[in-house]
Amino acid sequence: MDSFKTRFVLSIPFIVLGFMLTRAPFMMTSVAPSQPWADSPLKLITTPQFETKKTDIFTSGATHMALLHNSILRGYNSIYHQAPIVLEKDKADFVGYCLTWFKFVKSHHDDEENTLFTKIEELLKDTSVFDETHNEHESFLTGLADFEKYLTGLRGPADFSGQELLRIMKSFQEPFEQHFHREIATISRFSNHPNAPKPGTPESDAAAATFKAWGKSTVTKAGVIDVVPFFLLNLDRTVEDGMWANWPPMPAPIKWGLINLAGAWHFGWWRFSSCDAAGRPQELWAYRAVEKNTSRDQEAKAQNDIP
């Protein structure tokens, strides 16, 4: 009996791991997009490094910010396209996906304002460099708050209205898109600032370390089992000739775990993501679910029509 208990206890981690793997995003079927995808209505950003081939600290920093922004923009677009057609049975998961997008954006905004911007102002010895950016942030925060208020105020998933969510999204869509593009241009221009550190200096190394440290922490501290999978599953690794296939830089097993083990916790939410576990664009789930549902209805009707 003791031997059986020992074997049972030792097997528990493997049972749990096996269960989680059945819910992991890599187990989900991926289909190449044939319907409208997550590259509209908000336009995605071409990274400064791909566009200019420069590698100074501010071009690199703006490039990494652009990649993060594109994940958020794909998230918005994936919600925009799927909200009006999400099936009743999928509404609870879709609401969870939408609220994770909100959490991602709000955390990103707060972390910029409280940490990154201050460090860059200190580096450039100029507190005015983000004046325009602060104003841009204010331009969409009310609409963003309305987005969360609507979703958290639902009595239940059945009360979710895709049309109402679209109305709220459209109320802040234009300033939101403008800001996410302009902020990249703003950071890129800092390489021409009179106080920008010269390449190869200790100040330049310190600035690079600042960007790197902020980039590593900003998403993970927002939420490992929700925001991190959202970010990675809306990160297209095929763009710009595959230049960012291994971005963000981390050991492959850790990235795999963040997508598939952390992602197993809320596995139903990630069906709505724009990319699969390998970082390839995929058909948005709501389109596939509607098509599958329509096929079943047609099949049932045909069966009933048989004399």
Side-chain angles (χ1 to χ4, degrees), residues 252-264:
I254 292 178
K255 185 182 291 184
W256 189 93
L258 289 171
I259 293 171
N260 294 295
L261 297 182

Side-chain angles (χ1 to χ4, degrees), residues 152-169:
T152 56
L154 295 170
R155 288 175 298 178
D159 292 328
F160 172 79
S161 165
Q163 293 303 327
E164 177 59 16
L165 190 67
L166 282 188
R167 183 193 68 76
I168 296 169
M169 293 173 75

Side-chain angles (χ1 to χ4, degrees), residues 1-244:
M1 184 60 73
D2 288 342
S3 177
F4 171 77
K5 286 181 180 178
T6 301
R7 288 199 303 271
F8 177 73
V9 170
L10 291 175
S11 70
I12 288 175
F14 296 98
I15 294 170
V16 172
L17 179 60
F19 175 69
M20 291 179 70
L21 289 178
T22 65
R23 299 156 60 101
F26 85 92
M27 295 291 288
M28 298 177 188
T29 304
S30 175
V31 180
S34 61
Q35 310 262 11
W37 186 66
D39 50 358
S40 69
L42 301 190
K43 184 181 178 183
L44 300 177
I45 305 164
T46 302
T47 66
Q49 206 167 318
F50 181 79
E51 195 167 36
T52 68
K53 312 308 177 193
K54 293 181 180 179
T55 57
D56 63 86
I57 55 170
F58 289 111
T59 299
S60 296
T63 291
H64 298 160
M65 184 72 81
L67 292 167
L68 191 150
H69 279 195
N70 277 340
S71 183
I72 290 174
L73 295 175
R74 289 189 198 96
Y76 178 103
N77 291 340
S78 65
I79 293 169
Y80 182 95
H81 286 301
Q82 295 179 94
I85 61 171
V86 65
L87 298 180
E88 200 69 33
K89 64 181 181 179
D90 291 334
K91 283 185 175 181
D93 284 333
F94 187 67
V95 169
Y97 180 79
C98 293
L99 284 171
T100 303
W101 177 82
F102 166 81
K103 185 181 179 184
F104 187 4
V105 177
K106 186 65 168 62
S107 174
H108 173 67
H109 160 270
D110 292 348
D111 204 25
E112 284 184 330
E113 291 280 357
N114 299 331
T115 306
L116 182 66
F117 291 173
T118 301
K119 289 182 179 297
I120 293 178
E121 287 168 351
E122 291 172 355
L123 174 72
L124 296 176
K125 302 176 179 63
D126 186 345
T127 59
S128 68
V129 290
F130 284 113
D131 284 351
E132 184 181 347
T133 304
H134 293 311
N135 292 331
E136 289 170 8
H137 277 180
E138 293 301 319
S139 69
F140 64 79
L141 286 180
T142 299
L144 192 66
D146 290 342
F147 179 94
E148 187 217 16
K149 184 179 178 181
Y150 170 68
L151 293 171
T152 56
L154 295 170
R155 288 175 298 178
D159 292 328
F160 172 79
S161 165
Q163 293 303 327
E164 177 59 16
L165 190 67
L166 282 188
R167 183 193 68 76
I168 296 169
M169 293 173 75
K170 288 175 181 177
S171 74
F172 65 90
Q173 180 172 302
E174 185 176 346
F176 187 81
E177 179 180 34
Q178 286 179 349
H179 162 69
F180 271 68
H181 282 257
R182 286 176 179 171
E183 187 172 87
I184 304 307
T186 296
I187 295 174
S188 295
R189 285 196 298 270
F190 291 160
S191 57
N192 299 320
H193 192 281
N195 295 332
K198 304 299 181 187
T201 62
E203 292 78 11
S204 178
D205 293 341
T210 294
F211 273 116
K212 186 175 180 180
W214 183 83
K216 287 177 71 174
S217 68
T218 188
V219 178
T220 53
K221 72 182 179 183
V224 173
I225 62 171
D226 50 9
V227 173
V228 170
F230 187 104
F231 162 59
L232 293 172
L233 290 166
N234 283 289
L235 189 64
D236 182 358
R237 298 187 213 173
T238 70
V239 296
E240 299 184 345
D241 301 330
M243 188 172 177
W244 311 110

